Amino acid sequence: MPSYITSFIFTSLVCQVTVVFAHDHLLEGIYCGKENCYNVLGVTREATKSEISKNYRQLAKKYHPDKHRGEQEKKEAEEKFKEIATAYEILRDDEERSDYNYMLDNPQEYYAHYYRYYRRRMAPKVDVRIVLAVTITIISVIQYYSAWSKYDTAIKYFMTVPKYRHRALEKAKADNIEIQTKVKGPKKNKAEIKEEQDRIIRKIIEENMDIKGAYAKPEITNILWIQIIILPYTIAMFIYWYLRWFWKFTLLKHPYGEEEKLYIIRKFMKLGQYQFNALEDDEKQEFLDEELWIKENFDVWKELKDEETKKALADNNKYKQYRRYIKQHGVGRMTFDDS
């Protein structure tokens, strides 16, 4: 017999033995073990979900342990019932059934089958939508709490500034709000009087102080959940705003209004909405008076501001020390002598 034929026969026998070994031993601990899940439920591989469910109900009713009285019969029925339930759990799930069919068609890939089986078993059975909703909720709560914390910090700061505190007291006096400043009798001590003053001053500052930017009073519409809910509206308004701008100012060449001028200036300055809103109204009016929405005017203004900044830094002693240090030691350089 030619050697190549002998080699071919030997290789075929090895493959067959490997497949049988894998099927009979290595794959015993997964899916239905040595039994075919389809045979356990008495269905074919082409069976529909309804056929699988129908056969499962019939077999589960037949082999339910409560249907048998003898101890041996009850034990055998219990084992059979578990086998039927396992087969049904595998075949009713589309993804797991697909993995099982792949194993039947490719029994030699036993390591891959073990990986797929235990990966699916160990993976948490949690709906991704629930996880996403909980995550968004947590972020929204933290976001809202953080905004209130920043706003509270800003209010407390303004309460400590003599100028704003004095204005608040004058406002309270003008509104005929009585603020006790001295201890009169045993009714209130100094701490209680101070607490009442702070409460009234805080209320007046909150009602009259227009805090803008990152420390502004939080609004429910700024949290993540609400932003997601109104996202279609936000997108629609952005498209409308862009088309309106293109039609009105690009095609028809209408003059810019104050809002459009400030928008262009903010873009030139590369500031966010909160940062620009935090600027004083007088400063914004100065931008408008200097016509900074015109690129040429803005470039000249920016150059002057940069020169002023450089001059101010040059006259600053701390900045001079920093410059000398950089000149002597270099940027980012650290030696044992320096420490």
Side-chain angles (χ1 to χ4, degrees):
M1 181 179 296
S3 60
Y4 69 89
I5 296 178
T6 305
S7 177
F8 175 77
I9 294 174
F10 177 76
T11 304
S12 299
L13 288 173
V14 169
C15 291
Q16 292 177 10
V17 171
T18 302
V19 171
V20 172
F21 180 81
H23 185 270
D24 291 344
H25 299 280
L26 293 178
L27 303 185
E28 185 176 357
I30 61 177
Y31 297 112
C32 297
K34 293 182 179 181
E35 298 296 329
N36 186 302
C37 293
Y38 291 103
N39 294 339
V40 171
L41 293 181
V43 295
T44 64
R45 286 184 60 169
E46 291 74 26
T48 62
K49 280 188 176 181
S50 60
E51 292 173 342
I52 292 172
S53 298
K54 179 181 177 182
N55 279 30
Y56 165 71
R57 287 192 296 269
Q58 292 175 351
L59 293 171
K61 185 177 180 181
K62 178 180 178 181
Y63 290 102
H64 197 282
D66 294 341
K67 295 283 186 179
H68 302 270
R69 298 185 178 279
E71 184 176 344
Q72 184 63 28
E73 292 181 0
K74 198 176 188 69
K75 187 176 180 180
E76 292 177 356
E78 186 175 346
E79 292 296 325
K80 186 67 175 176
F81 184 81
K82 289 180 180 179
E83 190 177 283
I84 293 168
T86 300
Y88 177 65
E89 287 296 321
I90 292 168
L91 298 184
R92 75 171 182 172
D93 184 87
D94 291 336
E95 293 183 2
E96 195 157 9
R97 183 177 179 181
S98 176
D99 287 347
Y100 182 68
N101 289 339
Y102 184 82
M103 187 200 73
L104 295 178
D105 296 333
N106 305 275
Q108 72 278 4
E109 298 180 15
Y110 42 85
Y111 293 118
H113 301 321
Y114 272 112
Y115 170 75
R116 289 193 185 93
Y117 179 81
Y118 285 109
R119 180 192 63 181
R120 195 173 299 281
R121 286 291 184 275
M122 297 299 290
K125 302 293 184 179
V126 180
D127 193 333
V128 177
R129 292 170 295 181
I130 297 176
V131 175
L132 189 61
V134 171
T135 303
I136 294 174
T137 302
I138 293 174
I139 293 174
S140 299
V141 170
I142 294 174
Q143 182 184 22
Y144 197 61
Y145 174 79
S146 176
W148 268 110
S149 179
K150 288 183 177 180
Y151 176 71
D152 183 66
T153 300
I155 293 295
K156 288 180 178 178
Y157 167 75
F158 286 120
M159 288 176 63
T160 62
V161 177
K163 179 177 67 173
Y164 296 111
R165 191 177 183 88
H166 181 67
R167 286 183 183 177
L169 291 173
E170 289 182 344
K171 177 69 175 173
K173 186 177 180 180
D175 294 343
N176 296 321
I177 300 175
E178 183 179 352
I179 300 180
Q180 187 175 344
T181 57
K182 295 181 180 180
V183 179
K184 298 178 181 179
K187 292 184 179 180
K188 293 183 180 180
N189 55 36
K190 290 183 178 180
E192 290 174 336
I193 292 174
K194 177 70 164 54
E195 183 179 347
E196 182 180 356
Q197 284 182 356
D198 288 344
R199 180 180 59 79
I200 294 173
I201 290 172
R202 181 186 177 99
K203 183 179 179 182
I204 293 173
I205 289 177
E206 286 182 344
E207 291 175 352
N208 295 274
M209 181 68 70
D210 185 17
I211 302 175
K212 299 179 181 180
Y215 289 85
K217 189 174 183 179
E219 297 181 3
I220 195 70
T221 53
N222 290 333
I223 68 173
L224 182 59
W225 254 125
I226 304 301
Q227 289 291 317
I228 292 175
I229 292 172
I230 66 174
L231 182 60
Y233 171 79
T234 305
I235 294 174
M237 290 302 296
F238 173 77
I239 294 173
Y240 167 75
W241 180 91
Y242 180 80
L243 292 176
R244 173 182 169 275
W245 184 286
F246 181 77
W247 172 259
K248 189 174 182 180
F249 302 113
T250 304
L251 295 181
L252 300 182
K253 305 295 183 181
H254 285 183
Y256 295 125
E258 182 176 309
E259 182 181 348
E260 289 77 22
K261 292 175 182 177
L262 290 174
Y263 170 77
I264 296 172
I265 294 171
R266 179 171 70 83
K267 288 299 181 182
F268 284 162
M269 292 182 171
K270 298 180 180 179
L271 295 178
Q273 186 69 55
Y274 285 122
Q275 291 174 300
F276 194 76
N277 289 344
L279 299 177
E280 295 292 338
D281 292 337
D282 294 342
E283 194 171 0
K284 294 178 183 177
Q285 186 58 49
E286 182 184 342
F287 298 158
L288 295 173
D289 293 342
E290 297 186 21
E291 299 183 348
L292 297 187
W293 69 89
I294 301 173
K295 191 65 169 66
E296 292 77 10
N297 295 349
F298 176 80
D299 290 339
V300 173
W301 176 86
K302 182 73 165 52
E303 187 176 349
L304 291 174
K305 286 294 180 182
D306 290 342
E307 289 295 330
E308 290 177 6
T309 303
K310 290 179 182 178
K311 185 178 180 181
L313 289 174
D315 295 336
N316 187 289
N317 290 329
K318 289 185 177 180
Y319 183 72
K320 288 179 180 178
Q321 294 173 3
Y322 171 75
R323 292 286 297 175
R324 283 196 296 268
Y325 178 85
I326 294 297
K327 185 177 181 180
Q328 294 174 7
H329 303 282
V331 179
R333 177 184 173 189
M334 185 179 77
T335 66
F336 290 105
D337 292 335
D338 295 335
S339 61

